[in-house]
Amino acid sequence: MRAHLAPGQGLVSLTKGIESSSLKTMSEIMEEVFATSPRCPIGVLSGPSFSREVAEQHPTALVLASRELAFFRRIQHKISSLTLRIYTSSDVIGVELAGALKNVIAIASGISDALSFGDNTRAALITRGMAEITRLGMACGAHKETFLGLAGIGDLFLTCTGKLSRNRYVGYELGSGRPLPEILSGLKMVAEGISTTLSARRMARRKRVEMPISEQVYQVLYKNKSPRQALNDLMSRKLRDEF
Amino acid sequence: MRAHLAPGQGLVSLTKGIESSSLKTMSEIMEEVFATSPRCPIGVLSGPSFSREVAEQHPTALVLASRELAFFRRIQHKISSLTLRIYTSSDVIGVELAGALKNVIAIASGISDALSFGDNTRAALITRGMAEITRLGMACGAHKETFLGLAGIGDLFLTCTGKLSRNRYVGYELGSGRPLPEILSGLKMVAEGISTTLSARRMARRKRVEMPISEQVYQVLYKNKSPRQALNDLMSRKLRDEF
């Protein structure tokens, strides 16, 4: 497929996923599809943002990443306001991977909540989850600080605490013992973390990055592993340095 | 003051603060007080842990930092269990600063909640707050990844979402319009973030690190600035790159 764009126009991706067959991110697919000449500026917008709250003008901060920063700095100034603050970044792959992979951790966080494990456990899962998705991101060329940023901890924080997250909901229902097909049949929208778990596992193997939490989420999602056993297996791993 | 310790014993600090006069951390003060010969192994234990949940054996992960890692790796193996997982780290100053400075961000998070700003705003404050305390930590010799770890985002996550945090409570009451002396008179325990805000401001000036959120928390705590005005001032700063 090829598509065309007028000169002076650009494209912004809002989608957070990794195609599980090709392991490509949305901006990589867009670059293929919109192979204009001269090259069309492509950006990625991400960060902690329930759209309803943006519409209600609650102060929101987002990151806009692109390799064409000159073009997108103009967009940054055009769309920023007293309630919408846009930061720019050149780390496109980091912003995309952080946004996609954090959904796997959100599923883990939902599972933990369903098992009534409390705040300590959830915070530990989120933190160690960030450590492993950062490792994978860096193996793919992303910058570490992007995972400390709005597309990383910012969005994960929102996903794991807000009531509206579909990925956390899927984890919660899994942790409550419902089978995945039954959960999916009741969902009106896609929970991206389910397919991203597959992509993450394939990428981790390809890059030889250890991702113990994502691996357990995979086992629970796709291999009917008991959530409680998955958590036990995480806690009984060999003790090590934090980083 | 000098104190003595038997050979083979070590000390672990659980306190998260920065002395506002000397700007020393607890382990630095302990090193002065316990100036034994040979030097006494000093460690710092931190991470997301409400003690009640540890007692109830909810899975908990902590980081134990020391310059004497050989000594503390033995402790790591002795106290770890299926419900308590200890990671080791050599970044003592990072673990201490992350644990102390995150309390300033917790106050900001409480203020935002009181102003009914919603999840987007809180996530933005927490993320940009982490960015600035990481900058200050690195200027003091800490490692960036420690702020991505259990003593950093892990503990901040717990503090900003758990019901039990005193620092978030102080922010919430400030945001609701109560004067600080009145809030303090009702507190049974110290909210460390109040004095840490002063220490952070002094350290930031000394190291020439920009800390816009901590500065606004300082203005609200100590200069009677209106919380809403403080947030407006944050949102109207010059637009920039994320890192």
Side-chain angles (χ1 to χ4, degrees):
Chain A
M1 190 173 94
R2 283 281 176 276
H4 297 282
L5 218 68
Q9 291 188 309
L11 282 169
V12 172
S13 160
L14 305 174
T15 304
K16 291 154 193 172
I18 305 160
E19 195 175 57
S20 56
S21 54
S22 68
L23 298 187
K24 282 182 180 162
T25 63
M26 183 52 74
S27 78
E28 287 167 338
I29 293 169
M30 285 162 76
E31 277 183 8
E32 282 180 11
V33 174
F34 295 94
T36 52
S37 174
R39 208 156 141 269
C40 157
I42 288 174
V44 174
L45 188 65
S46 191
S49 47
F50 290 133
S51 49
R52 202 190 56 206
E53 293 191 3
V54 176
E56 288 169 357
Q57 305 213 308
H58 288 305
T60 299
L62 299 174
V63 57
L64 178 55
S66 179
R67 281 195 290 273
E68 280 85 10
L69 268 187
F71 179 88
F72 282 103
R73 285 223 174 86
R74 292 199 298 275
I75 308 291
Q76 173 188 32
H77 283 87
K78 271 192 187 156
I79 64 178
S80 288
S81 70
L82 255 183
T83 55
L84 184 63
R85 190 167 167 81
I86 308 283
Y87 292 84
T88 40
S89 164
S90 59
D91 187 13
V92 181
I93 184 74
V95 166
E96 290 192 287
L97 290 183
L101 296 170
K102 68 106 179 45
N103 289 327
V104 181
I105 310 305
I107 294 177
S109 161
I111 293 175
S112 162
D113 289 348
L115 296 174
S116 300
F117 274 133
D119 293 327
N120 292 4
T121 310
R122 186 169 69 168
L125 275 174
I126 286 173
T127 310
R128 296 306 303 167
M130 278 308 296
E132 70 182 50
I133 72 177
T134 304
R135 278 199 299 271
L136 180 61
M138 289 174 68
C140 298
H143 300 164
K144 191 185 289 176
E145 55 253 44
T146 299
F147 291 81
L148 251 174
L150 295 161
I153 62 167
D155 210 355
L156 181 63
F157 194 91
L158 192 79
T159 303
C160 292
T161 57
K163 290 186 191 75
L164 308 169
S165 160
R166 298 183 292 278
N167 296 294
R168 185 159 144 259
Y169 170 81
V170 167
Y172 193 90
E173 296 297 307
L174 280 169
S176 307
R178 281 180 70 196
L180 184 59
E182 189 187 312
I183 301 169
L184 292 180
S185 70
L187 272 186
K188 286 187 194 121
M189 293 172 79
V190 177
E192 306 92 334
I194 296 172
S195 65
T196 303
T197 301
L198 279 181
S199 306
R201 190 165 189 262
R202 290 191 57 206
M203 291 173 89
R205 294 191 160 204
R206 186 178 289 184
K207 299 284 183 186
R208 299 174 189 272
V209 172
E210 215 187 358
M211 299 187 76
I213 295 175
S214 305
E215 176 63 26
Q216 294 300 331
V217 171
Y218 168 80
Q219 297 286 341
V220 171
L221 275 175
Y222 293 103
K223 298 290 175 187
N224 283 319
K225 182 166 183 174
S226 124
R228 199 168 288 273
Q229 185 60 46
L231 198 87
N232 270 350
D233 288 355
L234 282 176
M235 292 300 287
S236 53
R237 298 180 71 240
K238 188 168 174 290
L239 295 168
R240 42 162 286 176
D241 287 351
E242 187 175 26
F243 289 102
Chain B
M1 190 172 96
R2 283 279 176 275
H4 297 282
L5 218 68
Q9 289 187 310
L11 281 170
V12 171
S13 159
L14 306 174
T15 304
K16 292 154 191 172
I18 305 160
E19 194 174 59
S20 56
S21 54
S22 68
L23 297 186
K24 283 183 179 161
T25 63
M26 184 52 75
S27 77
E28 288 168 337
I29 294 169
M30 283 162 78
E31 278 184 7
E32 283 180 11
V33 174
F34 295 94
T36 52
S37 175
R39 211 159 140 266
C40 156
I42 288 175
V44 174
L45 187 67
S46 192
S49 46
F50 290 133
S51 49
R52 204 192 53 208
E53 294 192 2
V54 176
E56 288 168 359
Q57 304 212 310
H58 287 304
T60 299
L62 299 174
V63 57
L64 177 55
S66 178
R67 280 195 291 273
E68 279 86 10
L69 268 188
F71 179 88
F72 282 103
R73 285 221 175 88
R74 292 199 297 274
I75 308 290
Q76 174 189 29
H77 284 86
K78 271 194 186 153
I79 63 178
S80 288
S81 71
L82 255 183
T83 55
L84 184 63
R85 189 166 168 81
I86 308 284
Y87 293 82
T88 39
S89 164
S90 59
D91 187 12
V92 181
I93 185 76
V95 166
E96 289 193 287
L97 289 183
L101 296 169
K102 68 102 177 50
N103 289 326
V104 181
I105 310 307
I107 295 177
S109 162
I111 292 174
S112 164
D113 290 348
L115 296 174
S116 301
F117 274 134
D119 293 327
N120 292 4
T121 309
R122 186 169 67 169
L125 275 174
I126 285 172
T127 311
R128 297 305 304 166
M130 277 309 295
E132 70 181 51
I133 71 177
T134 304
R135 279 200 297 272
L136 181 60
M138 289 175 69
C140 297
H143 300 165
K144 192 185 287 177
E145 56 253 45
T146 299
F147 292 82
L148 251 174
L150 295 161
I153 62 168
D155 210 356
L156 181 63
F157 196 90
L158 192 79
T159 304
C160 291
T161 57
K163 290 187 190 72
L164 308 170
S165 160
R166 299 183 292 278
N167 295 294
R168 186 159 145 260
Y169 170 82
V170 167
Y172 193 90
E173 296 298 306
L174 280 168
S176 308
R178 281 180 72 195
L180 185 59
E182 191 186 310
I183 302 168
L184 293 181
S185 71
L187 273 185
K188 286 187 192 119
M189 292 172 78
V190 176
E192 307 92 333
I194 297 172
S195 65
T196 304
T197 302
L198 278 181
S199 305
R201 190 168 190 259
R202 291 191 57 208
M203 290 173 89
R205 295 193 158 204
R206 187 179 288 182
K207 299 284 183 185
R208 297 175 190 272
V209 172
E210 216 187 356
M211 300 187 76
I213 296 175
S214 304
E215 175 64 27
Q216 294 300 332
V217 171
Y218 167 82
Q219 296 287 339
V220 171
L221 275 175
Y222 293 102
K223 298 290 176 186
N224 282 318
K225 184 167 184 173
S226 125
R228 198 168 289 273
Q229 185 59 46
L231 198 86
N232 271 348
D233 288 355
L234 282 176
M235 292 300 287
S236 54
R237 296 179 72 241
K238 190 169 171 293
L239 294 169
R240 42 162 283 176
D241 288 349
E242 188 174 26
F243 291 102

